[in-house]
Amino acid sequence: MAQLSQQTSALAVDTSLRAALPATVLQSIWAAAGSEIFITTLVVMSFFMIRTLTQCPDEKPQQQAPVKQQMKDAEELPQHQPTSCLDAFSKKVLAVLATNDFPAVVAAFREAGDQLSQQRRATALLSQAFKAASAPRQASWAMELYDVTKDHIEYTRPAYHALVTCLSYHGDADSAESIIRDMVMENVMPDAATYSALIRGQLARGNLERGLQVLGKMRLQGLKPELQLFHVILEACAQRQMSTLADQIVSDALAEGLKPTSTTLAILVRLYGKCGDLAAALSTFESFPAKYDIKVDAQVYASLISVCVADSDMQKAFAVYEQMAFAGLRADAPTYKALLSGSLQDGDLDSAARLIDDAFFNGCAGLLSREPLELFLLQAVRRGRGRELAVPALEQAQNAGVFVSERIVNNVLRHRQ
C-alpha cells in the first residue's frame, strides 16, 4: 500500500517537468536509485524549475539601502507635505475665479511658485482660468498668467488649447501663434481644434490671408478641418466679395470628404449676392440640393429672397417666397421686412397687401416690422386706396395686438366710410 502511495505521488509531480525530461533519463534515474530516491529527485527538480519560471530572468534580488543612504534620502524629501497647502491653493483659485477677479488668479499662481509642479490640479485650474479669461477685457491677464506659470507647470494640450482659444477670441492672434510655437517646442503638437481657434482669430481681425496660411499648415500636418471652419472662411470671403476664392474653398472642403449642407448653400447664396451676381446665386440654389442631397431650409430661402430684393428683382423675390411657402416653411422677420420694404419701394401695394395678409393668416403678425407696416398704411391712404387696403390691414393689426402709432390710426380711420 505504501509502495502504491509513493507511485501515486510520483505521478502527481509537475507535468511540465516530466515533459521536459526525456523518457530514457527518467528510466535511468529509476533504475539506478530506486523509487524513493527517484521521487525525491523529481520533487527537488520541480521546485527549482517552478522558481526559475516564475522569476524574471533580468530580475535581481533587491538589496536594502544602507542606513546612511536612507537618512540622506529622508533629508532630501520636502519638509512639509504639499497636500493640504495645495488644496487650500485650489480653493483660493476657484474662489477668485467665481468673482471674476482675474488679477487675483494671477497673483495666486505667482505666490504658489515652485509648488505648482506638485499640484495635480494645476493644469485643470489653468484651463478653467483661461476659459474665464474669455470674458471682456481679460485677455491680457491670460498672457500674464501664462508667463507666470509656464516654467513651473507642464502644460497639457487642453491647457494650451484653452489659452489659444482665449487669445483668438479676443483678436490677439499674434500671441496665439506664439503659444502654438511654444507648444511645438515642448513637443505638444496642436490638434485640429487648436488650429481652428487660431484661424478664427485671424479671420476675426480681418486677416484672411494669414488664416488661409494656417489652414494650409494644418492640412499639411494631416489634420482634417471641420465643415464649420470652412463656413467661417466662406463668410470671410463673402465680406470681401471674393467669389473665386470661395469656389476654391468649396473645392478644398469637398477634397477633404466634407459634404455641403444647407448652411453651406445659404452662405454661398449670400456671397454671390454681395458680389452682385444674382445669376450665380440662383444657379447655386438650383444645382446644389440635387448634387449634394441638400434639404433646402428656411435660411436658404431667406438668403435668396434677400439677394433678389437687393438686386431689385421683386418678381423673383416673391417667386422664391411662394416656393418657400409651398415647401411648408415660414418666413422670418427680416424676410418679411425685406419683401415689404422692397414692394413699397417699387410702389407695388398689391404685393405688399398680400404679404401682410399672409403674415396675419400664418400667425406671424409679430414678425412684421412696425416701420414698413405704417409706411404701407400711409401709402395706401395717399394713393386713394385707404378703404380698400389700409383699413383692412389696420383692423388685422389691431386684432393681432400689433402697435400702430395713433397718428397713423387716425389717418386711416378717416377712410373707413
Side-chain angles (χ1 to χ4, degrees), residues 67-262:
V67 175
K68 291 184 178 180
Q69 182 64 37
Q70 294 182 22
M71 294 177 62
K72 181 180 179 181
D73 293 340
E75 292 175 356
E76 293 177 353
L77 292 173
Q79 296 298 319
H80 302 284
Q81 293 295 328
T83 304
S84 60
C85 175
L86 292 175
D87 284 346
F89 163 75
S90 300
K91 294 178 181 179
K92 180 178 180 180
V93 171
L94 292 175
V96 291
L97 279 176
T99 61
N100 293 322
D101 188 356
F102 212 77
V105 175
V106 177
F109 276 94
R110 182 183 286 111
E111 291 172 4
D114 295 335
Q115 288 186 342
L116 290 173
S117 61
Q118 305 173 32
Q119 168 61 285
R120 291 183 302 172
R121 296 194 61 193
T123 54
L125 290 169
L126 272 176
S127 297
Q128 190 168 349
F130 290 139
K131 291 177 182 177
S134 296
R137 300 182 298 277
Q138 300 286 17
S140 59
W141 293 109
M143 275 304 297
E144 184 170 349
L145 178 59
Y146 175 69
D147 292 334
V148 166
T149 58
K150 63 182 180 181
D151 295 329
H152 303 290
I153 297 178
E154 184 177 353
Y155 269 64
T156 61
R157 183 178 288 109
Y160 276 122
H161 172 71
L163 177 56
V164 170
T165 301
C166 170
L167 296 172
S168 300
Y169 177 81
H170 288 284
D172 192 358
D174 293 337
S175 296
E177 288 208 36
S178 70
I179 298 301
I180 288 186
R181 287 193 291 270
D182 289 352
M183 289 181 67
V184 176
M185 290 180 63
E186 294 295 330
N187 201 29
V188 180
M189 302 310 297
D191 56 11
T194 304
Y195 273 119
S196 296
L198 177 58
I199 294 171
R200 291 171 185 269
Q202 293 289 2
L203 296 178
R205 62 185 298 189
N207 196 344
L208 176 59
E209 290 77 10
R210 183 54 186 161
L212 292 176
Q213 290 175 1
V214 177
L215 175 64
K217 183 178 180 180
M218 172 183 175
R219 296 178 67 190
L220 284 175
Q221 293 184 7
L223 299 174
K224 182 177 179 179
E226 294 183 349
L227 183 60
Q228 289 77 4
L229 180 60
F230 283 105
H231 287 167
V232 176
I233 297 174
L234 287 174
E235 293 281 13
C237 292
Q239 292 176 2
R240 300 179 64 170
Q241 301 181 6
M242 303 177 70
S243 59
T244 302
L245 178 58
D247 292 338
Q248 181 60 50
I249 296 300
V250 173
S251 298
D252 291 344
L254 294 172
E256 292 287 352
L258 299 173
K259 179 183 175 182
T261 64
S262 60

Side-chain angles (χ1 to χ4, degrees), residues 44-61:
V44 172
M45 292 178 68
S46 176
F47 169 78
F48 282 104
M49 178 172 285
I50 293 172
R51 182 177 181 182
T52 302
L53 292 174
T54 57
Q55 187 176 26
C56 177
D58 297 331
E59 185 179 12
K60 296 181 181 180

Side-chain angles (χ1 to χ4, degrees), residues 17-31:
L17 173 65
R18 287 183 283 130
L21 294 177
T24 54
V25 175
L26 295 175
Q27 292 174 358
S28 299
I29 296 174
W30 181 281

